[in-house]
């Protein structure tokens, strides 16, 4: 029995030794594809080959570096889920040998779109952007084409207008040949026109944004410029620098029409060019117009609702309607032939100069922000400034006033009412008053004394001009001087 037992034990040991000798390890692994391109929704099975072929343990694990792009199951089945790249890795359980495949998932273009219509002004440019379906499409290469290059040209989606008219722009995808069309209309741009027969140099100043052109009206080439913007006002001459200046020389005095085209012209100056007509009705964003020292007989600014500063002085205007210009801050319409002026709608107006006209009526009742009013040499017999409580400077010389109530104008600093027909004036409420002139009115001595009594007292020297009145020399000046006022009885110092 013992011999049998030992014989069996020896046989089992030999079997175990034989088994250990038959265990074959994995030394490598490879995939049938190292790169793989799929479209979304497609699948592909990767085949793994283990080396040696008779390795004992051929079990493997699969992994995707970006399962949102491409997933892989336990059998190596790769599924494309979204555009992008992912690395698929297979790893042996025996020895952790690895092989990889780079998977690229693409999304085919199924459609493309453009804005269906586009309206541009001549000389404008615009960039069209193609929208792809799906939005994550991989190949977004396209070609562009214009149906009429004499109207618009297109390069890489950039539209350039060439002439007034209509044209279509077509975009075609390289992937799939899908197309989209935009119908483009090119209009004559917004423009300012003015007529002059001046010979020699004509100069304008302009500011804004975008492109603008000048046709000088004499057959010379149309000029194209890029407008510069400004935060300053051309009201002050020193701000009219070379950056904004455009000039042209005419050899004769033939009548011609100058045309300035721009969609975004904000400031325009055409001073002293002998202009007989000016049309700004197509300049809706204009905020400053300075056209003084010309020969204009009319001016329509009803379309310029953004206008803030207007200087149309020294022309031949017989009327001026600014009721639509509710943003107006500064208005100089002096040295014209106006008989009526209504600024009651101009609630933002701070400065008004309407001197040297023929005004018989002036309405400033709504101009509650008015700080300075210059209105000398007109024919006004009355003036209501009761609503103009911000007024600091009032110059109303050479009119026909017989009375004036300034009791509401407590901010007044300078008041000049010379050359009127006043016989009384109460300035007791005007405690900030520094200078007062009633030169050449109709005050008697008693009436001047009554005015002196209303003068506000101050430790600061103030100026009072009373010359050329009936009571100039016989009135009691000491009443005024006792309150700190210097009284002038001759000359015209204020």
């Amino acid at each position: 029995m013992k011999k049998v037992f030992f014989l069996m034990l020896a046989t089992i040991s030999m079997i175990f030794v034989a088994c250990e000798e038959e265990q074959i390890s994995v030394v490598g692994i490879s995939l049938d594809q190292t790169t793989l391109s799929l479209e979304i929704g497609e699948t592909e099975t990767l085949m793994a080959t283990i080396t040696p072929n008779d390795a004992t343990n051929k079990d493997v694990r699969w992994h995707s570096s970006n399962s949102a792009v491409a997933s892989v199951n336990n059998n190596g089945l790769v599924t494309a889920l979204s555009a992008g790249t992912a690395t698929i890795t297979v790893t042996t359980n025996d020895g952790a040998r690895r092989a990889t495949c780079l998977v690229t998932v693409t999304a085919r273009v199924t459609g493309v779109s453009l804005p269906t219509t586009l309206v541009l002004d001549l000389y404008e440019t615009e960039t069209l952007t193609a929208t792809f379906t799906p939005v994550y499409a991989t190949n977004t290469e396209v070609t562009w084409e214009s149906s009429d290059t004499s109207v618009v040209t297109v390069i890489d989606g950039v539209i350039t207008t060439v002439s007034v008219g209509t044209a279509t722009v077509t975009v075609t995808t390289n992937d799939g040949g899908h197309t989209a069309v935009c119908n483009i209309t090119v209009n004559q741009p917004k423009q300012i026109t003015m007529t002059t027969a001046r010979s020699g140099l004509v100069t304008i100043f302009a500011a804004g944004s975008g492109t603008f052109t000048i046709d000088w009206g004499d057959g010379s080439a149309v000029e194209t410029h890029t407008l510069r913007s400004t935060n300053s006002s051309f009201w002050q001459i020193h701000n009219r620098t070379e950056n904004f200046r455009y000039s042209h020389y005419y050899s004769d005095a033939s009548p011609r029409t100058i045309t300035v085209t721009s969609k975004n012209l904000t400031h325009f100056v055409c001073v002293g060019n002998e202009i007989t007509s000016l049309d700004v009705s197509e300049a809706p964003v204009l905020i400053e117009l300075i056209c003084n020292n010309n020969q204009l007989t009319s001016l329509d600014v009803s379309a310029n609702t953004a206008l803030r500063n207007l200087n149309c002085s020294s022309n031949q205007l017989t009327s001026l309607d600014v009721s639509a210009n509710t943003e107006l801050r500064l208005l100089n319409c002096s040295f014209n032939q106006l008989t009526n002026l209504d600024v009651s709608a101009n609630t933002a107006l701070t400065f008004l100069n309407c001197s040297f006209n023929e005004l018989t009526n002036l309405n400033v009742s709504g101009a509650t922000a008015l700080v300075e009013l210059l209105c000398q040499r007109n024919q006004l017999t009355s003036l209501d400034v009761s609503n103009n409580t911000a007024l600091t400077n009032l110059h109303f010389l050479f009119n026909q006033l017989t009375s004036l109530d300034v009791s509401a104008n407590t901010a007044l600093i300078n008041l000049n009412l010379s050359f009127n027909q006043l016989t009384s004036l109460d300035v007791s409420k005007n405690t900030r008053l520094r200078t007062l002139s009633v030169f050449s009115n109709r005050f008697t001595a008693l009436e001047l004394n009554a005015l002196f009594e209303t003068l506000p007292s101050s430790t600061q020297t103030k100026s009072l001009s009373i010359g050329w009145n009936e009571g100039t020399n016989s009135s009691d000046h000491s009443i005024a001087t006792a309150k700190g006022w210097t009284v002038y009885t001759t000359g015209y110092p204020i």
Side-chain angles (χ1 to χ4, degrees), residues 195-199 216-218 250-257:
T195 303
T196 181
R198 181 185 178 92
S199 63
W216 294 103
D218 61 350
Y250 295 106
S251 60
D252 59 68
S254 301
R256 73 266 300 173
T257 298

Side-chain angles (χ1 to χ4, degrees), residues 90-101:
V90 61
T91 306
T92 64
N93 287 353
D94 179 8
R97 309 295 182 180
R98 295 182 179 181
T100 60
C101 176

Side-chain angles (χ1 to χ4, degrees), residues 292-359:
N292 53 293
N293 294 89
N294 282 291
Q295 301 170 14
L296 296 174
T297 57
S298 64
L299 180 63
D300 183 359
V301 289
S302 59
N304 311 106
T305 55
L307 199 62
R308 295 181 182 179
N309 303 333
L310 172 60
N311 185 344
C312 54
S313 62
S314 299
N315 278 281
Q316 302 168 24
L317 300 178
T318 57
S319 64
L320 181 64
D321 183 357
V322 290
S323 59
N325 312 106
T326 55
E327 297 296 319
L328 204 61
R329 269 75 163 171
L330 308 177
L331 173 59
N332 186 348
C333 55
S334 59
F335 293 93
N336 279 283
Q337 301 169 21
L338 303 177
T339 58
N340 177 72
L341 182 62
D342 186 349
V343 293
S344 59
N346 308 105
T347 56
L349 193 67
T350 60
F351 173 85
L352 172 60
N353 185 352
C354 54
S355 301
F356 294 89
N357 277 280
E358 300 171 9
L359 293 176

Side-chain angles (χ1 to χ4, degrees), residues 100 136 147 169 205-206 240 246 305 319 332 405 441 445 453 492:
T100 60
Y136 46 80
S147 66
V169 167
F205 294 84
R240 303 175 197 174
Y246 307 92
T305 55
S319 64
N332 186 348
D405 182 358
N441 276 272
E453 294 290 350
Y492 182 42

